[in-house]
Amino acid sequence: MGLSNNERRMLKAMLSEPERPWTLQELLSESNWEDQVHVAGAGKALEAAGLLAVEETRFRQVSLGPEGIRAVENGLLESRLWEWIKAQDESDRTIKNLNSSDFEKSETGPGIGLLKGLGIRIESGGLVFSDEREISDELSNRSEFLSSLSSGPVDEGSIDGPMLDQFSSRGGLLEFEDSISRTWCLTVEGRSVDVSELSEVKMIGELTPEMLQTGSWKDAEFKPFDVSAPAPTPAGGRRHPMQSLIERIRSVFLEMGFSEIEGDYVQSAGWNMDSLFIPQSHPARTMQDTFYLGNPTVLDVDEHYLDLWARVHEHGHDTGSKGWGGAFDKEEAKKALLRTHTTVNTVRHIAENPDIPSRVFGIGRVFRQETIDRTHMPEFHQIEGIIHEPDASLPMLVSTLKTFYSKMGFPDVRVRPAYFPYTEPSAEVDILWRGEWLELGGSGIFRPEVTEPLGTEWPVCAWGMGLERLAMLILGLDDIRQLYQPDLERLRRMPLL
Ligand code: PHE
């Protein structure tokens, strides 16, 4: 019979109990297999020969998602809210008190929806309920259910339906993984095979120099290759998807004739903001939005620039502008902070090269006080760039951005009027993604209030785009945190860029 050794081995094992279906585990433990892939491969060949039938069952496994793990550690949002409600006197159970409690703003909104789902009503601003017992029972069922998943994935079929509905509609609590299990069963023809015909023959899978030297290959059989046999995907090393994306962006800009620049994370408020004509009273400059450093608290800033910015901010200097008025505070400009945008790199580049035309870009990390959620993180990246030359213009800016995004795979780009204190005109940049326009960043032509103190009279096209948003589109993610969690399985499955 023209069967390979693996096929013979599999058939022989199954003939010891010819009537029943065999699972992969049973076949593996029956005789010595090097690899489970061999069982699957042999099964496929035997099926093609009509000796056995394969049955595939698909099933879903449910496990805890990142939010689910957090809920097991800290308690479900609704349970924490319920504890809070029970701890208040009846008259203090109000939405107003809830809003001024320790709960985050991002929790109270969805939290109220969850409480309503539990039968808690809002009556003239107060939270009221009738059956305390019922709510407590439901909540302990929910917590118990989540904890039961902490010891590993569970088959979806074994989970209570309403519980599954409750949690699967809430982002990040559960994760689902589809798998297939196979069983093999002999056909009538397979059962009639004579075991004595199934002794293993020497089959050559790989030809070695020894076989050629001794000529032993002459009496052996060659194993045919089965290029369609199922095989595991080798988990070799790969670059982190963010790193690959950064490298792709880098090569697109280099190919477009730009050079790369870099800068420090720590900057003075002067370079990060005052040089960009951001008024010293701007709300984004407060500690709620910007990380100021405790050590050092101030940085040296060249007096020359402090003087120029002071004049421009106070009365416009020779820029044709009236400035912001008021008194410019040089001490404020010396404060040390973590850069809030990479525009600080491009202005510093112009200050250092005021009479050299340049096209430069940089991809760098920036820092802002943000509450972490699906679309925000306190650290993220920007793709920044400028064209600084005598003929720089708005059409040049727009066509540069269009070229960049189409090279990245997004041919539809549009700009809309916008406002930044440092550009005029200013434009928001959107790309078309599955029929929707998504905002990716800001751009414009630097105002004279910015360029004059830097020592140039040429126009400057400037832009600063978000990197993470683009990464999420390209990688098909719906949560920015997925980019940075060290979840090797998920990282391995992300598309190669
Ligand atoms: N710095 C702006 C931001 O962080 C983007 C921008 C850069 C806008 C350059 C105009 C010009 O959103």
Side-chain angles (χ1 to χ4, degrees):
M1 209 184 289
L3 296 177
S4 75
N5 279 341
N6 284 341
E7 291 153 28
R8 284 163 200 264
R9 188 187 295 182
M10 178 157 173
L11 207 50
K12 207 160 147 186
M14 291 175 74
L15 281 165
S16 66
E17 283 174 65
E19 301 298 330
R20 70 172 174 97
W22 288 73
T23 64
L24 181 66
Q25 284 317 319
E26 291 167 337
L27 285 165
L28 280 173
S29 59
E30 191 60 26
S31 26
N32 299 327
W33 294 90
E34 269 167 49
D35 196 319
Q36 64 177 51
V37 173
H38 295 161
V39 180
K44 217 166 155 248
L46 291 170
E47 187 190 15
L51 299 175
L52 54 78
V54 185
E55 193 168 310
E56 294 190 341
T57 336
R58 283 163 203 276
F59 61 94
R60 285 196 116 181
Q61 294 222 297
V62 184
S63 55
L64 290 178
E67 291 298 331
I69 295 172
R70 205 163 310 149
V72 170
E73 280 166 12
N74 309 334
L76 271 165
L77 174 57
E78 57 266 46
S79 307
R80 289 186 288 119
L81 286 166
W82 179 238
E83 290 310 318
W84 178 87
I85 292 177
K86 285 195 296 182
Q88 312 299 311
D89 289 335
E90 212 162 305
S91 57
D92 288 335
R93 295 172 178 160
T94 61
I95 298 284
K96 195 161 159 251
N97 286 345
L98 180 61
N99 285 336
S100 53
S101 66
D102 289 341
F103 286 99
E104 301 279 345
K105 272 219 172 54
S106 59
E107 293 185 318
T108 45
I112 287 174
L114 291 167
L115 293 176
K116 283 185 182 161
L118 286 164
I120 297 174
R121 302 179 305 279
I122 301 179
E123 284 173 15
S124 30
L127 294 158
V128 290
F129 50 87
S130 25
D131 196 337
E132 174 170 345
R133 206 29 216 285
E134 200 178 306
I135 298 173
S136 294
D137 285 351
E138 169 63 20
L139 288 176
S140 58
N141 283 343
R142 288 188 192 177
S143 317
E144 237 169 73
F145 166 68
L146 281 192
S147 321
S148 72
L149 289 178
S150 4
S151 44
V154 170
D155 195 35
E156 187 186 51
S158 66
I159 297 178
D160 173 49
M163 202 55 95
L164 198 61
D165 293 343
Q166 167 66 236
F167 288 118
S168 53
S169 57
R170 290 164 58 179
L173 281 171
L174 300 182
E175 271 173 6
F176 296 89
E177 188 167 324
D178 291 314
S179 333
I180 300 179
S181 80
R182 296 192 179 84
T183 53
W184 288 269
C185 207
L186 290 175
T187 57
V188 178
E189 207 183 320
R191 272 176 253 156
S192 65
V193 172
D194 183 353
V195 187
S196 63
E197 282 180 39
L198 293 178
S199 56
E200 297 188 13
V201 291
K202 192 168 168 356
M203 285 269 229
I204 298 178
E206 201 178 340
L207 204 53
T208 62
E210 289 71 34
M211 292 176 187
L212 292 172
Q213 275 158 9
T214 60
S216 68
W217 61 273
K218 287 183 192 151
D219 317 313
E221 252 186 78
F222 284 93
K223 194 166 142 191
F225 288 119
D226 179 358
V227 290
S228 63
T233 315
R238 62 171 286 188
R239 265 185 213 289
H240 192 285
M242 275 312 260
Q243 203 53 44
S244 313
L245 181 61
I246 289 174
E247 251 138 66
R248 209 172 111 196
I249 293 169
R250 183 172 283 142
S251 59
V252 166
F253 274 119
L254 291 173
E255 170 181 307
M256 288 169 64
F258 284 75
S259 311
E260 187 167 4
I261 56 166
E262 277 182 330
D264 295 333
Y265 292 165
V266 174
Q267 297 284 348
S268 60
W271 280 109
N272 190 81
M273 291 142 172
D274 297 308
S275 74
L276 286 160
F277 198 51
I278 298 176
Q280 291 197 314
S281 59
H282 195 286
R285 298 181 64 141
T286 59
M287 292 235 277
Q288 277 77 45
D289 287 300
T290 300
F291 291 109
Y292 287 92
L293 262 62
N295 178 19
T297 50
V298 290
L299 294 174
D300 269 342
V301 182
D302 192 334
E303 202 58 41
H304 165 73
Y305 289 109
L306 289 175
D307 283 335
L308 284 172
W309 297 332
R311 277 182 248 156
V312 170
H313 279 242
E314 285 172 8
H315 50 76
H317 193 39
D318 323 322
T319 61
S321 159
K322 288 194 189 141
W324 296 112
F328 183 85
D329 180 357
K330 289 187 179 175
E331 294 314 306
E332 186 62 38
K334 291 181 189 163
K335 283 189 180 163
L337 48 74
L338 290 179
R339 68 180 181 207
T340 60
H341 53 188
T342 41
T343 317
V344 62
N345 296 347
T346 50
V347 281
R348 296 194 74 152
H349 176 80
I350 300 171
E352 284 155 22
N353 307 275
D355 23 63
I356 306 172
S358 61
R359 295 181 169 217
V360 296
F361 75 98
I363 306 160
R365 199 175 276 251
V366 298
F367 308 84
R368 293 183 195 171
Q369 296 253 26
E370 299 270 11
T371 309
I372 299 180
D373 64 20
R374 241 169 30 80
T375 52
H376 294 92
M377 298 222 305
E379 291 186 40
F380 55 98
H381 292 79
Q382 288 186 324
I383 313 167
E384 191 83 30
I386 49 163
I387 301 178
H388 170 224
E389 55 193 40
D391 296 325
S393 65
L394 187 66
M396 190 187 263
L397 170 65
V398 175
S399 67
T400 303
L401 294 172
K402 284 197 168 161
T403 308
F404 168 70
Y405 281 115
S406 36
K407 282 173 182 281
M408 293 301 296
F410 302 93
D412 298 299
V413 180
R414 75 172 185 191
V415 291
R416 286 178 294 123
Y419 173 78
F420 299 100
Y422 33 101
T423 45
E424 179 57 40
S426 306
E428 213 97 63
V429 184
D430 300 342
I431 61 166
L432 190 63
W433 167 251
R434 299 195 174 146
E436 253 184 274
W437 288 101
L438 299 179
E439 187 186 314
L440 285 191
S443 66
I445 309 283
F446 279 151
R447 300 177 70 103
E449 291 93 327
V450 175
T451 50
E452 208 258 0
L454 299 176
T456 180
E457 284 180 2
W458 299 332
V460 181
C461 305
W463 62 87
M465 311 288 166
L467 172 65
E468 276 75 3
R469 186 87 183 264
L470 185 66
M472 285 165 73
L473 298 184
I474 295 180
L475 298 168
L477 305 178
D478 60 4
D479 190 325
I480 190 169
R481 291 165 287 198
Q482 292 166 344
L483 291 170
Y484 296 107
Q485 277 153 353
D487 178 342
L488 293 185
E489 256 329 294
R490 180 186 280 132
L491 289 170
R492 265 182 203 133
R493 286 197 306 258
M494 285 189 192
L496 289 171
L497 299 174

